[in-house]
Amino acid sequence: MLSKEDNERLTRVGEGTPMGNVFRRYWLPVLLSSELAEADGAPVRVRLLGEDLIAFRDTSGAVGLMEAYCAHRRAPLFLGRNEKSGLRCVYHGWKYDRGGKCVEMPTEPCDSTLKTKIALKAYPTWEGGGLVWACLGPSAAPPPDFEFIRAPATHRFVSRTVQDCNYLQALEGGLDSSHATILHNVTIGDMNWLDDFERTTPRLEIYPTDYGFQYSGIRNLKDRYWVRLYQYVMPAMQLRGRIVPVRGEKAPPRIPLISGHIWVPIDDVTVSVINFSYSADPKIPLDMDFALDSEADYGRGSEDMLPDFRLKKNLSNDFLIDRELQKTGTFSGIRGINTQDVAVQEGMGPIVDRSKEHLGSTDRAIIVLRRLLLEAYRTVEAGGTPKGVDPSSYRNVRAVDHYADTESAIPQLIERERKARF
Ligand code: FES
Ligand SMILES: [Fe+2]
C-alpha cells in the first residue's frame, strides 16, 4: 500500500514533477535506431516525459531531438523537410539545425538578425545498442554503458512496444517474478497446474547496490540448485538471465542469454518498453531466428503489432481472451506471455490507485523499488545525484541463470557469472 501522495509522486513524469525531475537526470532510450533509418530521412514524432518532440537524422547522420512545433507560428515540424543539415518548416520555411538553432528564415529580409535570436528547445542525443538515447535534464549525464550496448550487433536483438498505462505498473510487473508460474502457466489440464518443480518456492533475497538492487531466486531441485539473479538498474531497467537451448539441440548443451527491459515514460498514462536480449557468451553470436521466434512466442512479433508499436490484441478487444482455452488449456486464456502481462497492466487502469493494494511477502522487490524511487526524488530535490546515473556503478553487472551442483557452490557461481564479459 502507498499513500495517495506518494502514488502521485511516483507516477507523474511531466516537467517539474518529482519523478519527472528524477527521469530527467538519466539517458533514456527514445527510439530504435532503425526508426530513423537514413540521413535526411523522414522525421519521427517523439513524446517523452509528457513533452512533444520531433526527431530527425541530419545529413551527417547525427540525430536531432527538439520541440515538435515551429518557433514562428507553431506549425508541426513533423511535416518538415529534412534538408541539408537541418529541418525546414513547410509553412514559411524557417530552418533549424539539430541543435534547435534557427539557421534560415526565407520570409525575412536578408539583413534581418531575427534568426540569431530564435532557437527551439533541443536535447542532446546519443546512439548505442541499436537505440537513440536522449537526456531531458538540465545537464546531460555521462552516456549509458550497459553491457548490451557494448555487445556487437551480431550478439544482440532489440525491439520496442508501447503500452497504455503508467510506466510504474509496467515496471512493477517486470520486477514481480512471483506471477510467472500463475499468469503465464500453460499446463492447466487437470488443474494440477503447479507441478513439483514450480511448487518449489524460490528463496528470494534482495541486495541493495549502487545502481538499484539485485535479487536472487534460488530453487532446490533435489539433484541441483537453480540459481537466478535479476538486476534492477535505476530508474526503470531490469536484467534477467535465461538458459536457452542452442538451435537444433533438444537437450543441453545450452547457451546463456541475458534479456531485459527498459520502461520509458511517454507521459503519465503511456509507456514505451525497450526489450532486448543478447548472447552472454562473446564466442557465440545470437541466433537471430531464435530471437524472432521468441518475440512471436511472447506475442510481440511483427504479426502482433500495430505500426505505432501497440499490440493488435489490446484492451479494446479484451486481448482476445479465449474462455474455452482458459478452462482447459492455459491459466489466463490469453495467448502470448507479453500479451498476458500487458492485459493485466493495462487492465488496472491508466494509473493504478496503490492506496487500495494489499501487498504480500512476494512483493518485496516492488516495495524496495518504490522506496528507491522515492529516495531518488528526495536526492534530486536536495541537489544530489541519484543512484544509477553514474555508468561505472552498473557497467560490469549482468543477470544470471545457472545451475549449481551444491548449495555451497552458489556464492562463487553468482560472483563469477554476474560479471559482464563484453
Ligand atoms: S510556422 Fe514554421 S515557418 Fe512559419
Ligand atoms: Fe510476466
Side-chain angles (χ1 to χ4, degrees):
M1 190 182 126
L2 208 61
S3 70
K4 279 197 186 289
E5 294 72 28
D6 278 348
N7 199 36
E8 281 290 297
R9 273 188 195 113
L10 285 175
T11 51
R12 303 289 168 180
V13 295
E15 244 180 319
T17 60
M19 221 28 71
N21 290 342
V22 169
F23 271 100
R24 281 168 173 78
R25 300 300 301 270
Y26 298 85
W27 285 91
L28 303 172
V30 198
L31 295 170
L32 303 173
S33 287
S34 56
E35 290 178 71
L36 292 169
E38 46 171 28
D40 295 334
V44 173
R45 289 190 189 98
V46 169
R47 190 165 156 78
L48 183 61
L49 304 179
E51 297 185 33
D52 284 314
L53 305 169
I54 193 80
F56 66 104
R57 196 181 287 283
D58 76 3
T59 311
S60 73
V63 175
L65 182 69
M66 57 203 196
E67 278 177 72
Y69 301 98
C70 179
H72 178 214
R73 282 190 22 238
R74 310 299 282 168
L77 290 170
F78 172 72
L79 301 178
R81 291 174 60 92
N82 190 0
E83 293 178 358
K84 201 169 169 6
S85 303
L87 190 60
R88 191 187 293 279
C89 178
V90 287
Y91 208 2
H92 313 93
W94 290 19
K95 179 176 168 180
Y96 303 90
D97 68 13
R98 71 165 187 274
K101 252 191 8 231
C102 186
V103 289
E104 277 177 38
M105 235 175 224
T107 47
E108 290 299 301
C110 294
D111 57 353
S112 163
T113 56
L114 181 59
K115 74 163 186 253
T116 62
K117 302 184 184 90
I118 301 292
L120 292 171
K121 193 192 226 181
Y123 295 111
T125 64
W126 184 85
E127 265 188 290
L131 297 164
V132 177
W133 304 69
C135 188
L136 266 52
S139 60
D145 195 7
F146 296 104
E147 189 184 28
F148 84 90
I149 294 177
R150 299 194 300 274
T154 47
H155 287 56
R156 176 182 64 223
F157 183 85
V158 190
S159 73
R160 183 160 95 88
T161 44
V162 169
Q163 278 180 234
D164 288 303
C165 65
N166 181 256
Y167 84 93
L168 189 57
Q169 58 217 57
L171 166 60
E172 288 177 347
L175 298 195
D176 167 24
S177 51
S178 69
H179 76 265
T181 49
I182 314 287
L183 176 69
H184 303 314
N185 192 282
V186 288
T187 52
I188 193 163
D190 54 1
M191 288 307 285
N192 190 15
W193 42 272
L194 285 181
D195 64 22
D196 277 351
F197 175 69
E198 287 163 336
R199 224 187 275 277
T200 328
T201 318
R203 205 170 70 223
L204 281 174
E205 278 163 38
I206 300 179
Y207 317 85
T209 64
D210 290 345
Y211 49 84
F213 59 79
Q214 61 178 18
Y215 56 119
S216 59
I218 297 164
R219 282 184 163 93
N220 182 349
L221 304 179
K222 306 215 173 65
D223 60 330
R224 59 197 168 148
Y225 291 83
W226 184 21
V227 182
R228 304 197 79 187
L229 183 79
Y230 304 81
Q231 303 285 356
Y232 161 64
V233 184
M234 294 194 71
M237 183 209 215
Q238 186 202 26
L239 290 168
R240 317 162 175 189
R242 188 152 64 117
I243 301 172
V244 297
V246 175
R247 182 159 270 267
E249 302 265 5
K250 286 203 186 63
R254 291 166 165 248
I255 58 155
L257 189 78
I258 297 171
S259 63
H261 305 281
I262 308 175
W263 290 269
V264 184
I266 290 176
D267 53 31
D268 292 349
V269 293
T270 326
V271 57
S272 165
V273 190
I274 301 295
N275 317 292
F276 61 87
S277 48
Y278 61 105
S279 162
D281 186 340
K283 292 196 289 295
I284 308 176
L286 183 63
D287 182 333
M288 293 299 166
D289 290 334
F290 170 81
L292 286 168
D293 288 351
S294 298
E295 289 290 291
D297 286 348
Y298 274 102
R300 53 169 192 254
S302 53
E303 297 288 292
D304 303 296
M305 308 271 290
L306 295 164
D308 67 357
F309 296 95
R310 285 175 168 83
L311 301 183
K312 287 181 187 166
K313 291 187 212 129
N314 56 44
L315 210 52
S316 73
N317 53 29
D318 290 323
F319 299 89
L320 300 185
I321 187 167
D322 179 339
R323 298 296 185 182
E324 196 48 42
L325 182 69
Q326 190 173 33
K327 267 198 182 119
T328 55
T330 70
F331 191 75
S332 69
I334 293 169
R335 291 179 175 84
I337 291 177
N338 184 68
T339 320
Q340 293 157 6
D341 285 320
V342 175
V344 173
Q345 293 157 14
E346 289 190 351
M348 291 172 178
I351 304 182
V352 71
D353 181 356
R354 291 176 177 77
S355 71
K356 292 184 173 158
E357 294 173 336
H358 300 84
L359 299 183
S361 58
T362 58
D363 296 311
R364 271 192 302 150
I366 287 172
I367 293 168
V368 179
L369 162 74
R370 295 175 186 175
R371 203 162 62 215
L372 282 173
L373 288 174
L374 287 170
E375 200 177 283
Y377 134 71
R378 283 188 286 270
T379 303
V380 169
E381 208 178 45
T385 301
K387 283 182 169 190
V389 166
D390 177 359
S392 67
S393 65
Y394 59 74
R395 76 180 302 280
N396 282 320
V397 301
R398 53 162 51 176
V400 177
D401 187 344
H402 260 273
Y403 298 115
D405 292 333
T406 61
E407 188 163 12
S408 58
I410 295 173
Q412 241 185 344
L413 174 120
I414 289 183
E415 225 13 69
R416 189 183 70 229
E417 295 299 328
R418 72 184 285 274
K419 285 199 190 84
R421 280 184 218 149
F422 288 101

